[in-house]
Amino acid sequence: MGMKAGFFWLGFLLACILASTSADETLNLWPMPVSVNHGLQTHCLRKNFALKTEGSKYADGSGILKDGFSRLLDVIDVSRAADKLTNFNNFPMLLGLHVIISSSSDELQYGVDESYKLSVPGNGNPNYAQLEAQTVYGALHGLQTFSQLCHLNLETRIIEVRPTPCTIEDQPRFSYRGLLIDTSRHYLPLRTIKSVIDAMAYSKLNVLHWHIVDSQSFPLEIPSFPKLWNGAYSASERYTMVDAAEIVRYAQRRGINVLAEFDVPGHAMSWGKGYPSLWPSPNCSEPLDVSNEFTFQVINGILSDFKRVFKFRFVHLGGDEVKTDCWVTTPRVGRWLSKKGMNKSDAYKYFVLQVQKIALSHGYEVINWEETFNNFGKQLSPKTVVQNWLDNSVPEKVVAAGLRCIISNQDKWYLDHMDQSWRDFYTNEPLSNITDPTQKKLVIGGEVCMWGEYVDGSDIQQTIWPRAAAAAERLWTSYDKLAKDPEQVIGRLAHFRCLLNQRGIAAAPLLGYGRAVPTEPGSCYKQ
Amino acid sequence: MGMKAGFFWLGFLLACILASTSADETLNLWPMPVSVNHGLQTHCLRKNFALKTEGSKYADGSGILKDGFSRLLDVIDVSRAADKLTNFNNFPMLLGLHVIISSSSDELQYGVDESYKLSVPGNGNPNYAQLEAQTVYGALHGLQTFSQLCHLNLETRIIEVRPTPCTIEDQPRFSYRGLLIDTSRHYLPLRTIKSVIDAMAYSKLNVLHWHIVDSQSFPLEIPSFPKLWNGAYSASERYTMVDAAEIVRYAQRRGINVLAEFDVPGHAMSWGKGYPSLWPSPNCSEPLDVSNEFTFQVINGILSDFKRVFKFRFVHLGGDEVKTDCWVTTPRVGRWLSKKGMNKSDAYKYFVLQVQKIALSHGYEVINWEETFNNFGKQLSPKTVVQNWLDNSVPEKVVAAGLRCIISNQDKWYLDHMDQSWRDFYTNEPLSNITDPTQKKLVIGGEVCMWGEYVDGSDIQQTIWPRAAAAAERLWTSYDKLAKDPEQVIGRLAHFRCLLNQRGIAAAPLLGYGRAVPTEPGSCYKQ
């Protein structure tokens, strides 16, 4: 009962804060764009609001823009709008959205131009909103922003666009804005993964880091070594390569790259279920056998299969938490180490660099967890991106060494840490302690990590959202536009989590820590 | 840490039980049909598996069957199947499903024939599965059962149908198999409600009891009294009548009726936000003012608006937890009571019977919570169905009085009670203590209740499922087919919850109580 009362007071306090901070209800955009100039008027949408692309250099042969526009109409609830506008509606009407894209290419690669400019109404034609972008992916971001300007008025059943007139110029602060999912500790159904991707697009995150395999299970089909997915939990808790291609396709059409990871030489016990010779011995089954050439043949096979499906510039090779004891205690491997004159640290380095080399030979640039940098520093390939997770002083060392870095410090950006609230996610600054402008550029972005030990298809969405969205604003919005005090954004973030709920994403209330549930009756906007 | 270890052991025990009970993996149907005769062979589906309706008397003008068949293809993952069957597939192939429906009507009313007979392959044509049903709604149930016989083999990417040959004859034990949702304590987005309806169809539940309004908020548009929804939490946390009609339409096309409820005279404080004269006084705002003729005019208006949209035979009028003090302490109401010679109990009865009369005049039969029966017994309209929730001895009294009864005892079937596990939901027998065959027939079914104080769009699915599915088997399956010991069904229910996850429904693990989350890495089928 004490707990209940405590929650009540927390709720009451939160409600007060929410009430006091949602004053500018006209501008509930998430993440906040770089620049917004707006009046205080309202436009309205014609029911058959249309897409116009005259003057665009992008032909949209694959329908990415067309589909994005259809999804826009869906999420703004055009189907709920009245067929005929009522007489008493005096708002100027928008007949459609005029999208002008400068680049004819729809290649989605790291660093693709994601900027856009949105004008409601457009400068040329007052009956159209106008969206200009370098690429179709910038345009998709613009569509997301436009969707957040649309409000279905349930009294009139008119979709109102406000505030207008409005000019938004926008582009991300970081090129890499990631979310990790882990399909080894628990299998995630394809529909669940797609739904996570949907919500990433709403939040303008752009990299789905797919931690495919780990010690517990190996769910992905690898055509070159077809017994690897014998390490899956069950016959159905698996992904074919066609499934993987479908995830990549689905994400790409939403402007999201998929970063595939296998984590070697540790975190790989499940590999040996199909190929036991990958284990040092049946009794000592991790890390992968460094002494066996077959280990690297398998890795080469995986990467050659990956290359057909995972088109992102980067592949993630893991490299963290390697406990090398098995190599020493297994006589066969121990003899190999002696022969090569390596101790176990040397062997760890040998393994990591060997795998980097194979990945580079397939045309990938590589990402590794920070232990590889902590141990081998500049001996890593210069094409390495180091993903920080343990030690907050590592990023400055990484960039000082001239390597690129992704920030995922576990004390703030680990979604499986239920004691981290959205405030922790919001306030975590990737560039803290880095002042040199050249070094700053080497921090390519950040990533929130949804490790899978305690989530599956039943609870992953509310564990990710809205906390990942808080980080998404940190990664998207220009530094000077970010709130110094997270309480300043609470009303706007609450609004965004309600928007996610309306769109069918089970984002949790803000009150409380990770995966909190509502603690009393009330409005979505105040919880 | 003690907690973690405890969870671990619980998990270990559960895993053992699951491993030991999932022996007959060939027949993971939920809910279990009345009669299943099957061999041990396997058929496979042609990729363009087709619907055939020759000889059917049902024309499907509204496309209910066609859409149901499309959804079947979707949930069995036809899109993941290989385009061409491989050479090494020696299973006999099914070209399609032949559906034969006897009734030309698609009226979905209480007591509609829901039986079906499914043969794989059919008797006449070995290249088709055959589904016979009296009504399209029986056929929809047959499609659900068929979907559970289909298994995508990820090695061959063939959809296997097993076990075959197979003949299933099936019909529900109870005509009323309900789930209550509550949109007053928290607003539920339309997409959330539709997703709940999807999962109801998978479980063969057939009544969505929509507890629309309560003291906390009034989210529904009532055209006759347009200020009523001023009692909503916010401008957007509302449903238009068009939205309501869309929910009814969506449910009906899945064989599910919508039971609309307003709960009077208690649980109605939010009504007075738009019409303060419905309150006894601003300081004493519940129950609705019994002395004011306007109160009954409003109720009449609501019911006349309901009648256009909610086509189910029944309407729910609430009537529970009425604290009548405000009527006595408000001088104006007190004077009215004196004038009428009523005490507060008389007035409660007057109110309930008056509202019943209005509902009956609109052609509805009525459902009330058990307090109305406990207080007024046979003075209720003989068209009353009493919904039991408090006292387990009430159902026998209700049916002894010749009234119909719905079972929702809160000690077993309240989904907001987190301490009730799926075992409680499974073992709760609606006919316990009722022996007379005529009286048994008056128990028209049961309902699990998802009260909304602690759920919203973020957590409702895992709070409902899989526990509601456990109750669904109790309500569907013939008594002699039900497991006496719930441990006998744990493997099959775990399989069904994984199926829900695969279909995008966030059903929780079985381990633990309501809304449990996974407590360690592992297979969906063992959690």
Side-chain angles (χ1 to χ4, degrees):
Chain A
M1 290 302 272
M3 186 113 165
K4 270 268 166 81
F7 273 125
F8 174 79
W9 281 108
L10 260 174
F12 181 76
L13 278 171
L14 186 82
C16 294
I17 294 168
L18 283 165
S20 67
T21 54
S22 57
D24 187 7
E25 279 196 3
T26 50
L27 206 61
N28 276 316
L29 300 176
W30 195 279
M32 187 56 81
V34 170
S35 144
V36 184
N37 288 296
H38 68 91
L40 290 169
Q41 293 163 36
T42 296
H43 278 64
C44 70
L45 285 199
R46 184 173 62 166
K47 175 101 177 177
N48 51 352
F49 186 73
L51 173 65
K52 192 169 97 168
T53 58
E54 280 160 34
S56 190
K57 292 197 181 114
Y58 174 68
D60 201 30
S62 50
I64 293 175
L65 179 63
K66 198 169 110 316
D67 288 357
F69 188 78
S70 294
R71 292 194 303 272
L72 167 76
L73 298 181
D74 180 43
V75 297
I76 66 175
D77 280 344
V78 164
S79 66
R80 293 173 77 189
D83 293 327
K84 287 183 182 173
L85 297 185
T86 48
N87 296 333
F88 56 84
N89 164 41
N90 291 317
F91 302 134
M93 196 190 292
L94 295 171
L95 305 178
L97 180 66
H98 186 187
V99 180
I100 305 160
I101 297 171
S102 317
S103 165
S104 62
S105 165
D106 61 6
E107 199 199 354
L108 179 65
Q109 203 36 276
Y110 171 73
V112 68
D113 190 307
E114 297 179 276
S115 69
Y116 67 91
K117 180 179 172 184
L118 176 65
S119 311
V120 188
N123 295 324
N125 188 337
N127 295 321
Y128 279 79
Q130 185 166 317
L131 175 58
E132 295 159 83
Q134 284 296 311
T135 70
V136 66
Y137 302 107
L140 291 181
H141 290 311
L143 293 178
Q144 294 298 345
T145 302
F146 184 75
S147 79
Q148 296 188 23
L149 296 174
C150 296
H151 311 267
L152 175 63
N153 181 325
L154 291 171
E155 305 270 1
T156 59
R157 294 177 56 218
I158 289 170
I159 294 176
E160 298 173 0
V161 186
R162 56 169 197 269
T164 57
C166 181
T167 305
I168 295 176
E169 296 191 66
D170 204 9
Q171 65 183 74
R173 182 173 166 219
F174 292 103
S175 295
Y176 185 108
R177 306 180 303 281
L179 166 68
L180 178 147
I181 59 168
D182 166 7
T183 56
S184 177
R185 275 61 177 259
H186 284 95
Y187 178 81
L188 295 172
L190 287 177
R191 287 176 181 80
T192 304
I193 295 175
K194 288 183 175 179
S195 181
V196 168
I197 290 170
D198 290 343
M200 288 178 70
Y202 302 151
S203 318
K204 299 192 172 78
L205 291 172
N206 73 348
V207 179
L208 179 71
H209 176 172
W210 186 4
H211 185 85
I212 302 171
V213 48
D214 208 294
S215 298
Q216 286 85 350
S217 76
F218 196 118
L220 180 64
E221 174 186 33
I222 300 295
S224 300
F225 291 92
K227 288 187 198 166
L228 279 171
W229 73 349
N230 292 5
Y233 284 128
S234 68
S236 66
E237 286 167 297
R238 300 192 297 192
Y239 310 97
T240 64
M241 265 294 173
V242 177
D243 294 335
E246 168 62 11
I247 289 171
V248 169
R249 187 198 69 86
Y250 189 90
Q252 183 249 331
R253 295 178 74 83
R254 285 153 183 82
I256 293 166
N257 273 299
V258 176
L259 170 69
E261 176 183 1
F262 56 80
D263 189 349
V264 292
H267 291 280
M269 194 163 58
S270 63
W271 298 37
K273 192 141 184 210
Y275 298 98
S277 69
L278 292 169
W279 291 332
S281 79
N283 303 323
C284 213
S285 52
E286 216 171 60
L288 294 173
D289 188 349
V290 63
S291 73
N292 190 345
E293 199 43 44
F294 181 63
T295 301
F296 299 99
Q297 286 168 18
V298 169
I299 288 170
N300 186 55
I302 293 173
L303 285 163
S304 102
D305 289 344
F306 271 18
K307 197 64 191 175
R308 289 191 197 94
V309 166
F310 298 111
K311 304 293 188 187
F312 194 33
R313 175 181 300 180
F314 302 100
V315 71
H316 202 302
L317 305 172
D320 60 313
E321 296 187 309
V322 181
K323 300 187 190 83
T324 47
D325 295 342
C326 275
W327 289 345
V328 180
T329 59
T330 305
R332 185 177 46 79
V333 185
R335 284 192 298 274
W336 182 87
L337 289 177
S338 303
K339 200 175 125 195
K340 296 278 180 184
M342 289 185 191
N343 62 22
K344 55 189 185 177
S345 302
D346 299 331
Y348 172 27
K349 182 171 76 181
Y350 167 79
F351 199 111
V352 166
L353 297 186
Q354 198 69 0
V355 176
Q356 286 205 335
K357 215 177 291 176
I358 299 170
L360 293 166
S361 80
H362 285 284
Y364 280 120
E365 296 183 33
V366 297
I367 306 182
N368 276 106
W369 294 105
E370 71 166 67
E371 287 95 322
T372 58
F373 175 79
N374 299 343
N375 283 286
F376 320 125
K378 287 183 131 182
Q379 297 174 79
L380 294 172
S381 159
K383 289 193 172 177
T384 307
V385 181
V386 177
Q387 185 164 11
N388 157 247
W389 69 285
L390 275 171
D391 182 339
N392 291 337
S393 73
V394 164
E396 49 197 292
K397 293 173 193 159
V398 170
V399 297
L403 294 177
R404 290 167 295 179
C405 191
I406 294 167
I407 309 295
S408 299
N409 47 317
Q410 62 167 349
D411 60 330
K412 298 291 182 184
W413 275 3
Y414 263 32
L415 291 157
D416 54 318
H417 290 198
M418 291 300 149
D419 56 346
Q420 291 167 17
S421 79
W422 67 268
R423 289 174 182 79
D424 295 307
F425 283 79
Y426 190 85
T427 53
N428 192 44
E429 171 51 40
L431 297 184
S432 58
N433 305 327
I434 301 173
T435 48
D436 177 84
T438 315
Q439 292 184 5
K440 278 186 174 179
K441 280 189 188 145
L442 292 172
V443 176
I444 66 173
E447 182 178 294
V448 292
C449 299
M450 182 66 274
W451 294 105
E453 280 86 349
Y454 309 109
V455 293
D456 64 12
S458 74
D459 61 338
I460 191 169
Q461 292 284 20
Q462 52 271 69
T463 318
I464 295 177
W465 315 105
R467 294 183 300 162
E473 175 154 302
R474 172 66 51 180
L475 289 166
W476 177 276
T477 302
S478 58
Y479 184 78
D480 60 318
K481 282 272 195 164
L482 290 164
K484 302 304 166 255
D485 177 359
E487 306 314 320
Q488 293 169 342
V489 306
I490 187 168
R492 188 160 53 83
L493 182 57
H495 191 275
F496 184 69
R497 101 91 180 172
C498 298
L499 193 76
L500 289 177
N501 281 186
Q502 284 155 21
R503 295 179 182 185
I505 307 294
L510 273 64
L511 172 60
Y513 292 92
R515 197 167 53 204
V517 300
T519 53
E520 59 175 351
S523 167
C524 180
Y525 299 99
K526 299 188 176 175
Q527 299 196 321
Chain B
M1 292 299 273
M3 186 112 164
K4 270 269 166 80
F7 272 126
F8 174 80
W9 281 107
L10 260 174
F12 181 76
L13 278 171
L14 186 83
C16 294
I17 294 167
L18 283 166
S20 68
T21 53
S22 58
D24 188 7
E25 280 196 1
T26 50
L27 206 62
N28 276 315
L29 299 176
W30 195 278
M32 187 56 81
V34 170
S35 145
V36 184
N37 288 295
H38 68 91
L40 290 170
Q41 293 163 36
T42 296
H43 277 64
C44 71
L45 286 198
R46 185 173 63 167
K47 174 99 178 179
N48 50 351
F49 186 73
L51 174 66
K52 191 169 97 166
T53 57
E54 280 160 33
S56 190
K57 292 198 180 112
Y58 173 68
D60 201 30
S62 49
I64 293 174
L65 179 62
K66 195 169 112 316
D67 287 358
F69 188 78
S70 294
R71 292 193 302 273
L72 167 74
L73 298 182
D74 180 43
V75 297
I76 67 174
D77 280 343
V78 164
S79 65
R80 294 173 77 189
D83 291 329
K84 286 183 182 174
L85 297 184
T86 48
N87 296 332
F88 56 83
N89 164 42
N90 291 315
F91 302 134
M93 196 190 290
L94 295 170
L95 304 179
L97 180 66
H98 186 186
V99 180
I100 304 160
I101 296 171
S102 318
S103 166
S104 62
S105 166
D106 62 5
E107 199 200 353
L108 179 66
Q109 203 34 277
Y110 171 74
V112 68
D113 190 308
E114 297 179 275
S115 69
Y116 67 91
K117 181 180 172 184
L118 176 65
S119 311
V120 189
N123 295 324
N125 187 337
N127 294 322
Y128 279 78
Q130 184 166 316
L131 174 59
E132 295 161 81
Q134 284 296 310
T135 69
V136 66
Y137 301 108
L140 291 181
H141 290 311
L143 293 178
Q144 294 299 343
T145 303
F146 185 75
S147 79
Q148 296 188 23
L149 296 174
C150 297
H151 311 268
L152 174 63
N153 180 325
L154 292 171
E155 305 269 2
T156 58
R157 293 177 54 217
I158 288 170
I159 293 176
E160 298 174 0
V161 186
R162 57 169 196 269
T164 58
C166 181
T167 305
I168 295 176
E169 296 191 66
D170 204 8
Q171 65 183 72
R173 182 172 167 220
F174 292 103
S175 296
Y176 185 107
R177 304 180 305 281
L179 166 68
L180 177 146
I181 59 169
D182 166 6
T183 56
S184 177
R185 275 62 178 257
H186 285 94
Y187 178 81
L188 296 172
L190 287 177
R191 286 176 181 80
T192 304
I193 295 176
K194 287 183 175 181
S195 181
V196 167
I197 291 170
D198 290 342
M200 289 178 69
Y202 302 150
S203 319
K204 298 192 172 79
L205 291 172
N206 72 349
V207 179
L208 179 72
H209 176 172
W210 186 5
H211 185 85
I212 303 170
V213 47
D214 207 295
S215 299
Q216 285 84 350
S217 76
F218 196 120
L220 181 64
E221 173 187 33
I222 300 294
S224 301
F225 290 92
K227 289 187 198 165
L228 279 171
W229 74 349
N230 292 4
Y233 283 129
S234 68
S236 66
E237 286 168 297
R238 299 192 298 190
Y239 310 98
T240 64
M241 265 294 172
V242 177
D243 294 335
E246 168 62 12
I247 289 171
V248 169
R249 186 199 69 86
Y250 189 90
Q252 184 249 331
R253 295 178 74 82
R254 286 152 183 81
I256 293 166
N257 273 300
V258 176
L259 171 69
E261 176 183 1
F262 57 81
D263 190 348
V264 291
H267 291 279
M269 195 163 58
S270 63
W271 298 36
K273 190 138 184 214
Y275 298 98
S277 70
L278 292 169
W279 291 332
S281 79
N283 304 324
C284 212
S285 52
E286 216 170 59
L288 294 172
D289 187 349
V290 63
S291 74
N292 189 345
E293 199 44 44
F294 180 63
T295 301
F296 300 99
Q297 286 168 17
V298 169
I299 289 170
N300 187 54
I302 293 174
L303 284 164
S304 102
D305 289 343
F306 272 18
K307 196 64 191 174
R308 289 191 197 95
V309 166
F310 298 110
K311 303 293 186 185
F312 194 32
R313 175 181 301 179
F314 302 101
V315 71
H316 202 304
L317 305 172
D320 60 313
E321 297 187 307
V322 181
K323 300 188 190 81
T324 46
D325 296 343
C326 276
W327 289 346
V328 181
T329 58
T330 306
R332 184 176 47 78
V333 185
R335 283 193 297 274
W336 182 87
L337 290 177
S338 303
K339 199 174 126 195
K340 296 277 180 183
M342 290 185 192
N343 63 23
K344 55 190 184 177
S345 304
D346 299 331
Y348 172 28
K349 181 171 78 181
Y350 167 79
F351 199 111
V352 166
L353 298 185
Q354 198 70 2
V355 177
Q356 285 205 333
K357 215 177 289 173
I358 299 170
L360 293 166
S361 79
H362 285 284
Y364 280 121
E365 297 183 34
V366 296
I367 306 183
N368 276 106
W369 294 106
E370 70 167 69
E371 286 94 324
T372 59
F373 175 79
N374 299 345
N375 282 285
F376 320 125
K378 288 184 131 182
Q379 296 173 78
L380 295 173
S381 159
K383 289 194 170 175
T384 307
V385 181
V386 177
Q387 186 164 11
N388 156 246
W389 69 285
L390 273 172
D391 182 339
N392 291 339
S393 73
V394 163
E396 50 197 288
K397 293 173 193 158
V398 170
V399 297
L403 293 178
R404 290 167 295 178
C405 191
I406 294 166
I407 309 294
S408 300
N409 47 317
Q410 61 166 351
D411 59 331
K412 299 288 182 185
W413 275 2
Y414 264 30
L415 291 157
D416 54 319
H417 290 197
M418 291 299 149
D419 57 345
Q420 290 167 17
S421 79
W422 66 267
R423 289 173 182 81
D424 294 307
F425 283 80
Y426 190 85
T427 54
N428 192 45
E429 171 50 40
L431 296 184
S432 59
N433 304 327
I434 300 174
T435 48
D436 177 83
T438 316
Q439 291 185 7
K440 278 185 174 182
K441 280 187 189 146
L442 292 172
V443 177
I444 66 173
E447 182 177 292
V448 291
C449 299
M450 183 66 273
W451 294 106
E453 280 86 349
Y454 310 109
V455 292
D456 64 10
S458 74
D459 61 339
I460 192 169
Q461 292 283 20
Q462 52 271 68
T463 318
I464 294 177
W465 315 104
R467 294 184 301 162
E473 175 153 303
R474 174 65 51 180
L475 289 165
W476 176 275
T477 303
S478 58
Y479 184 77
D480 61 318
K481 282 272 195 165
L482 289 164
K484 303 302 167 253
D485 176 0
E487 306 313 322
Q488 292 170 343
V489 305
I490 188 170
R492 189 161 52 84
L493 183 57
H495 190 276
F496 184 69
R497 104 91 179 171
C498 298
L499 194 75
L500 290 176
N501 280 186
Q502 284 155 22
R503 295 180 182 185
I505 307 295
L510 272 64
L511 173 60
Y513 292 92
R515 197 166 52 203
V517 299
T519 53
E520 57 174 353
S523 168
C524 180
Y525 299 99
K526 298 187 176 177
Q527 300 196 323

